[in-house]
């Protein structure tokens, strides 16, 4: 049991170190994938398009760097900026979303990449604290399992 807990502890430790070391690559990967999702955004509501809409609605953002990122997409030429960027769904007309100067007043202007990464970084201390707490419980479990094993080995009982 102690060896199993030790193995899990080492796997979690390696995952944390790898995540910390490669955090810049993770950010770069996320940005390129968000750009791809914007480029391939469509009305059929595939899972990538739904993810973009959810991020934009939840974080009150639009595009990758800002709302003008949508102007370089095929979706913009057909329908304008998506409604998930609108500050108010009632005050967002399709004609306004096709005109970047009018859209600027009706959509969120901040990009999603910065908001997502800053939200993740702000929550890292909570994740690190929880991980540290779990690691402490695992270490206590490892120590207690070793003590129990030692106790059983030292006190061999007679078989009846």
């Amino acid at each position: 049991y102690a060896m199993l807990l030790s193995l899990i502890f080492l796997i979690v430790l390696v995952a944390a170190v790898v995540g910390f070391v490669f955090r810049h690559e993770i950010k770069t990967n996320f940005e390129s994938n968000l750009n791809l999702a914007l480029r391939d955004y469509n009305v059929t509501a595939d899972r990538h398009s739904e993810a973009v809409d959810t991020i934009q609605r939840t974080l009150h953002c639009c595009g990758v760097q800002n709302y003008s990122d949508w102007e370089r997409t095929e979706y913009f030429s057909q329908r304008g900026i998506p409604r998930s960027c609108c500050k108010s769904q009632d005050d967002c007309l399709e004609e306004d979303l096709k005109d970047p100067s009018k859209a600027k007043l009706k959509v969120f202007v901040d990009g999603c990449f910065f908001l997502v990464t800053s939200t993740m970084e702000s929550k890292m201390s909570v994740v690190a604290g929880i991980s540290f707490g779990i690691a402490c419980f695992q270490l206590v479990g490892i120590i207690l399992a070793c003590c129990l094993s030692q106790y059983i080995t030292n006190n061999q009982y007679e078989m009846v």
Side-chain angles (χ1 to χ4, degrees):
Y1 181 70
M3 292 183 72
L4 178 67
L5 276 179
S6 298
L7 180 67
I8 293 171
F9 179 76
L10 288 175
I11 291 170
V12 170
L13 183 67
V14 167
V17 169
V18 166
F20 180 76
V21 170
F22 293 111
R23 69 184 181 278
H24 298 295
E25 285 82 2
I26 292 170
K27 279 185 180 181
T28 305
N29 232 355
F30 175 71
E31 184 176 17
S32 64
N33 284 332
L34 192 55
N35 276 316
L36 281 173
L38 255 67
R39 190 192 73 205
D40 297 336
Y41 186 88
N42 59 34
V43 190
T44 59
D46 64 348
R47 62 188 179 107
H48 297 291
S49 300
E50 287 178 17
V52 170
D53 286 337
T54 302
I55 289 171
Q56 290 181 151
R57 263 191 231 103
T58 305
L59 295 178
H60 303 289
C61 59
C62 190
V64 179
Q65 300 300 328
N66 58 36
Y67 76 100
S68 64
D69 292 335
W70 283 104
E71 295 175 37
R72 297 183 296 274
T73 64
E74 185 179 323
Y75 182 84
F76 181 81
S77 60
Q78 297 170 357
R79 300 190 126 186
I81 297 173
R83 294 185 62 82
S84 59
C85 285
C86 293
K87 292 177 185 175
S88 170
Q89 295 295 323
D90 302 331
D91 189 31
C92 239
L93 302 173
E94 192 170 324
E95 303 84 47
D96 295 339
L97 295 175
K98 286 184 177 180
D99 182 9
S101 58
K102 288 182 183 176
K104 183 177 183 178
L105 303 171
K106 302 204 179 223
V107 299
F108 303 114
V109 292
D110 296 328
C112 294
F113 175 71
F114 175 73
L115 287 173
V116 168
T117 54
S118 64
T119 301
M120 286 172 42
E121 287 172 357
S122 70
K123 305 294 183 202
M124 281 304 207
S125 60
V126 173
V127 172
I130 291 171
S131 300
F132 181 72
I134 291 171
C136 287
F137 278 118
Q138 283 182 317
L139 288 175
V140 168
I142 292 168
I143 292 168
L144 290 176
C146 288
C147 289
L148 179 62
S149 172
Q150 188 67 32
Y151 179 76
I152 290 172
T153 304
N154 290 339
N155 297 314
Q156 292 290 325
Y157 293 104
E158 272 184 37
M159 296 297 267
V160 182

